[in-house]
């Protein structure tokens, strides 16, 4: 069973579209597009865990990221680690001891904001799976351009002359920063401005989640 959801983000972030339960053989899945960036996420678990990963107090969480083509790079492995840590923070993994929860991410198209799209796709797949979570997670990407202006959720053309990139991940309860990825050169002031702008925009991501789940529930 699948459902499609779109939302108008008032030109603050690029339009988002998702299809929940896009894969039938996973415990939860979501195909998410943000602008022209697209990621497929699937969740398997709780499932049997390998002995070397067994935890008696909580589930072992693992993330596998697959690029659009070729083998995973060092950057992809770093992206995997960030998303794994973020998802593990959000999950109530203590409810699933001696098991494994696996999240697989497949890059479909990269037109900037790939980390944010991957985090949001993973969260939607976890929602689809029904696993218990402490809070939802929402990611927003922004850049500082050559004129020192902050542009939220830019496309590839807008990012061509960016001097710094920021991806912030927030929780849905306190809107606190759960994870952060930066690159380039920036000042403390630019960092603080980017944080404020992204925090203001994250409510659009959480609102999108609500709309997607409501429409999916109607289909069910």
């Amino acid at each position: 069973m699948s459902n499609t959801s779109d939302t108008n983000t008032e030109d603050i972030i690029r339009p988002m579209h998702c299809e929940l339960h896009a894969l039938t053989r996973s415990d939860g899945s979501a195909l998410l597009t943000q602008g022209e960036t697209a990621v497929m996420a699937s969740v398997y678990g709780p499932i049997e865990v390998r002995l070397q990963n067994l935890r008696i107090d909580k589930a072992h969480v693992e993330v596998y990221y697959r690029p659009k083509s070729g083998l995973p790079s060092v950057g992809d492995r770093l992206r995997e680690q960030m998303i794994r840590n973020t998802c593990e923070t959000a999950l109530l993994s203590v409810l699933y001891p001696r098991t494994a929860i696996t999240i697989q991410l497949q890059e479909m198209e990269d037109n900037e904001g790939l980390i944010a799209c991957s985090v949001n796709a993973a969260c939607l797949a976890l929602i689809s799976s029904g696993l218990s979570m402490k809070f939802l997670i929402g990611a927003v990407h922004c850049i500082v351009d050559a004129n020192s202006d902050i542009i939220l959720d830019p496309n590839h053309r807008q990012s061509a002359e960016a001097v710094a990139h920021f991806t912030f991940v927030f929780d849905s309860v306190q809107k606190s920063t759960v994870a952060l990825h930066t690159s380039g050169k920036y000042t403390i002031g630019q960092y603080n401005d980017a944080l404020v702008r992204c925090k203001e925009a994250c409510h659009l991501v959480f609102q999108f989640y609500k709309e997607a789940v409501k429409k999916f529930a109607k289909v069910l």
Side-chain angles (χ1 to χ4, degrees):
M1 185 70 70
S2 64
N3 184 57
T4 295
S5 178
D6 297 279
T7 187
N8 180 3
T9 54
E10 302 177 355
D11 297 325
I12 298 176
I13 60 177
R14 293 177 293 175
M16 300 175 69
H17 166 90
C18 81
E19 183 179 345
L20 293 178
H21 274 325
L23 302 176
T24 57
R25 295 189 177 182
S26 63
D27 294 303
S29 61
L31 172 61
L32 175 67
T33 63
Q34 292 188 224
E36 296 179 2
T37 299
V39 175
M40 172 72 78
S42 56
V43 174
Y44 300 87
I47 56 177
E48 185 177 353
V49 63
R50 288 178 292 183
L51 186 61
Q52 63 267 35
N53 295 327
L54 189 145
R55 302 286 299 272
I56 63 172
D57 57 336
K58 61 181 182 179
H60 171 71
V61 180
E62 52 192 5
V63 171
Y64 297 101
Y65 181 89
R66 297 188 179 93
K68 183 178 178 180
S69 61
L71 298 174
S73 64
V74 174
D76 293 328
R77 294 306 183 201
L78 291 173
R79 186 180 293 115
E80 266 184 4
Q81 186 66 25
M82 174 188 172
I83 297 171
R84 191 201 73 81
N85 292 342
T86 304
C87 291
E88 187 174 34
T89 300
L91 278 165
L92 271 169
S93 56
V94 294
L95 298 181
Y96 312 103
R98 303 175 184 271
T99 66
I101 297 172
T102 300
I103 302 169
Q104 296 185 2
L105 298 166
Q106 174 64 59
E107 173 192 331
M108 310 294 287
E109 194 65 46
D110 180 11
N111 189 33
E112 295 301 325
L114 186 58
I115 294 178
C117 188
S118 298
V119 170
N120 295 338
C123 185
L124 283 164
L126 288 169
I127 294 171
S128 172
S129 74
L131 290 169
S132 297
M133 302 176 70
K134 304 169 194 172
F135 45 73
L136 304 182
I137 46 176
V140 181
H141 173 237
C142 74
I143 62 168
V144 177
D145 67 13
N147 297 318
S148 296
D149 294 325
I150 294 175
I151 301 176
L152 284 172
D153 199 20
N155 57 34
H156 183 71
R157 178 183 57 81
Q158 293 170 316
S159 295
E161 297 183 1
V163 296
H165 291 256
F166 301 90
T167 300
F168 294 94
V169 184
F170 303 95
D171 73 78
S172 59
V173 179
Q174 300 293 334
K175 302 302 186 295
S176 300
T177 304
V178 177
L180 164 67
H181 181 273
T182 69
S183 64
K185 295 182 179 180
Y186 53 88
T187 66
I188 294 297
Q190 289 171 332
Y191 170 87
N192 290 332
D193 289 344
L195 174 59
V196 170
R197 291 285 303 280
C198 288
K199 191 172 186 177
E200 291 172 348
C202 76
H203 77 278
L204 296 171
V205 177
F206 295 125
Q207 182 61 38
F208 175 79
Y209 292 170
K210 290 181 181 179
E211 294 175 4
V213 172
K214 282 182 182 178
K215 292 185 178 181
F216 177 70
K218 288 180 180 178
V219 173
L220 292 178

